[in-house]
Amino acid sequence: MRRILFMLVTMWSISIQAQVTLIPDASFEQELIDLNIDSDGVVNGQVFTADIAAVIELDLNETGITDLTGIQDFSSLEKLEATYTFLSVLDLSSNTNLKYLDLNFSSDLYQLDVTANANLEFLNCSNSGITEIDLSQNTSLEILYIGNPNYDVGIFNDLTELDLTNNLALKELYCPYLYTLNTLDLSQNVNLEVLDVVYCNLTALNLSNNLAVRSLWLGELNAIVGGISNNFQTLDLSSLINLSSISLDNTNISELNLQNGNNDQLSFMRARTNPSLLCIQVDDAIAANNNEPPYSTWLVDNQISYSKNCSFAIEDFWLNTSVIYPNPAANDINVTGDVDRLKYQVFNSLGVVLKHGVFEVSSKLNIEDLSAGLYFLQLENFGAIKFVKR
């Protein structure tokens, strides 16, 4: 009888030992103790698996954790926050219930595999050290933060590619200051509502399929960083009928179409420090040029005028060797080249003819009576030369 009892006790002891999860990082275990999760209350490199199996949320923010070994047995975990930690590698392949993952400012983190986390809805890995990430399996992802801070104090995300073609549920994307990101395909992300890509290296952005977009942060002026904030040159946003806010400061843009049929909703608009942008295509050019709402809240450069059709005969034109100068002009503009007996018209961005005549003795045209803004000089049977009255 004693022998049998001893064997039973031994087997029970072995069974108890099998229910332990190893936690080699003392900081991690101390956090579990502080959160009343590790029931033995002692930093001994282990925790009872039963203590962690039912944990749904885990807050490990601003700790000295370098290793999350043991996280694999948090089998019910849905929300993990580990911001401002010192993780370098994170294995979450066993945490298939995970929906929310915040790793902001885990600047040592260079390897993050979330391919097993198909239920992930929120991911913040901004200001980390990743150079590549596979999000193809995260089909439930709705919110993604994957950018960098607006200053250089260490090694941060250095992504050259960001494939989001499988993330059809994506609603918000924040990836500012990814200086090495030069292309971004959002054609499949038809549910996208918010986009922040300031100070990336984008030269083009096609948002024709993203009709749900309401907020765009595409450029800003940052004196600390310097340089341009993207290099778009041309943007057609006429399909974005839900657009309510946009920042295009310092993007080197020269052509912008905001004629979406719903400018009344666009109350926040910034397009400053874009010297090549002379005309913005809008719904109501008369109201815009008269600085009436909602255009009265828009912040743009002084040279900008508004039109319902900025492409109306406004191709830069060179007639033989004809050019105009100065441009911008204050009082007179001069037209050089073979212009004798050539008819001319001056019209505004609405297509209204303001001056007309024939160049005879002089090829100088007085524009003192024009108010400051964008105008076009039409030479007979030819295209128009853009000029600005200061």
Side-chain angles (χ1 to χ4, degrees):
M1 179 63 71
R2 290 180 178 176
R3 180 177 298 175
I4 294 174
L5 180 59
F6 174 76
M7 291 178 61
L8 288 174
V9 170
T10 302
M11 292 176 62
W12 180 75
S13 176
I14 293 172
S15 177
I16 289 295
Q17 290 178 9
Q19 303 303 312
V20 168
T21 297
L22 298 181
I23 308 289
D25 189 310
S27 296
F28 182 17
E29 187 176 3
Q30 184 61 59
E31 287 298 315
L32 297 180
I33 293 172
D34 294 343
L35 292 169
N36 297 316
I37 294 174
D38 187 350
S39 60
D40 68 17
V42 178
V43 177
N44 54 10
Q46 63 184 31
V47 61
F48 292 122
T49 305
D51 287 347
I52 64 175
V55 173
I56 295 177
E57 297 186 7
L58 189 58
D59 182 349
L60 303 174
N61 293 326
E62 299 185 51
T63 63
I65 295 175
T66 60
D67 184 357
L68 277 183
T69 297
I71 198 70
Q72 70 279 357
D73 286 341
F74 285 75
S75 54
S76 300
L77 192 63
E78 296 182 4
K79 182 176 182 180
L80 173 60
E81 296 180 82
T83 64
Y84 292 89
T85 55
F86 300 96
L87 300 169
S88 57
V89 177
L90 183 56
D91 182 1
L92 297 169
S93 57
S94 297
N95 307 99
T96 56
N97 291 313
L98 197 63
K99 296 180 180 180
Y100 185 104
L101 178 60
D102 190 353
L103 302 169
N104 187 30
F105 270 104
S106 296
S107 56
D108 293 333
L109 184 65
Y110 68 92
Q111 185 175 329
L112 176 63
D113 186 349
V114 290
T115 54
N117 310 110
N119 295 310
L120 197 63
E121 298 174 356
F122 176 99
L123 173 59
N124 186 349
C125 54
S126 294
N127 318 314
S128 301
I130 59 176
T131 57
E132 59 181 354
I133 189 168
D134 183 355
L135 299 172
S136 61
Q137 304 305 308
N138 308 111
T139 54
S140 298
L141 191 62
E142 295 184 1
I143 300 176
L144 174 62
Y145 289 81
I146 197 167
N148 289 319
N150 61 0
Y151 49 85
D152 185 11
V153 295
I155 300 174
F156 295 109
N157 293 337
D158 192 20
L159 294 165
T160 57
E161 296 182 3
L162 184 60
D163 186 351
L164 301 171
T165 53
N166 283 359
N167 307 107
L168 306 187
L170 191 65
K171 293 182 179 180
E172 300 180 21
L173 173 61
Y174 305 90
C175 52
Y177 296 92
L178 280 178
Y179 303 108
T180 52
L181 186 67
N182 52 33
T183 60
L184 185 61
D185 181 2
L186 298 172
S187 59
Q188 304 304 309
N189 310 108
V190 296
N191 293 303
L192 190 67
E193 297 179 5
V194 179
L195 176 64
D196 181 353
V197 290
V198 301
Y199 279 97
C200 293
N201 193 29
L202 302 175
T203 58
L205 189 63
N206 186 349
L207 297 173
S208 58
N209 290 344
N210 309 101
L211 306 188
V213 166
R214 52 183 172 81
S215 179
L216 287 175
W217 204 263
L218 307 180
E220 67 181 16
L221 182 61
N222 189 320
I224 297 175
V225 175
I228 60 173
S229 178
N230 293 307
N231 189 15
F232 288 121
Q233 299 184 27
T234 300
L235 271 180
D236 184 353
L237 305 176
S238 58
S239 63
L240 306 186
I241 58 175
N242 295 298
L243 193 61
S244 60
S245 63
I246 181 173
S247 178
L248 274 165
D249 289 348
N250 193 34
T251 54
N252 201 35
I253 193 168
S254 58
E255 297 182 27
L256 175 60
N257 187 350
L258 290 174
Q259 192 177 35
N260 65 354
N262 202 14
N263 282 175
D264 286 344
Q265 182 175 293
L266 185 53
S267 58
F268 183 96
M269 190 280 202
R270 306 286 185 267
R272 299 163 298 186
T273 323
N274 293 303
S276 298
L277 183 60
L278 302 179
C279 180
I280 300 177
Q281 195 159 318
V282 294
D283 294 344
D284 189 340
I286 295 176
N289 286 310
N290 288 333
N291 200 34
E292 299 174 4
Y295 308 103
S296 56
T297 65
W298 293 13
L299 296 180
V300 299
D301 294 326
N302 291 333
Q303 81 276 4
I304 290 176
S305 294
Y306 301 95
S307 174
K308 295 190 72 171
N309 187 356
C310 284
S311 62
F312 174 70
I314 56 172
E315 293 298 322
D316 284 327
F317 168 69
W318 302 80
L319 176 61
N320 296 330
T321 59
S322 296
V323 294
I324 64 171
Y325 69 90
N327 189 9
N331 300 316
D332 298 298
I333 58 174
N334 299 279
V335 182
T336 65
D338 185 13
V339 295
D340 185 43
R341 303 295 304 169
L342 191 64
K343 293 181 181 180
Y344 67 84
Q345 291 185 344
V346 175
F347 53 91
N348 62 17
S349 59
L350 298 176
V352 177
V353 176
L354 304 176
K355 289 177 176 291
H356 63 87
V358 177
F359 286 117
E360 294 182 346
V361 177
S362 172
S363 59
K364 180 177 292 187
L365 181 61
N366 185 270
I367 58 170
E368 283 185 285
D369 55 332
L370 299 180
S371 58
L374 171 69
Y375 297 92
F376 307 98
L377 173 62
Q378 173 82 50
L379 301 179
E380 183 180 22
N381 298 324
F382 293 95
I385 304 173
K386 293 182 283 192
F387 72 91
V388 175
K389 166 65 187 296
R390 287 188 296 218

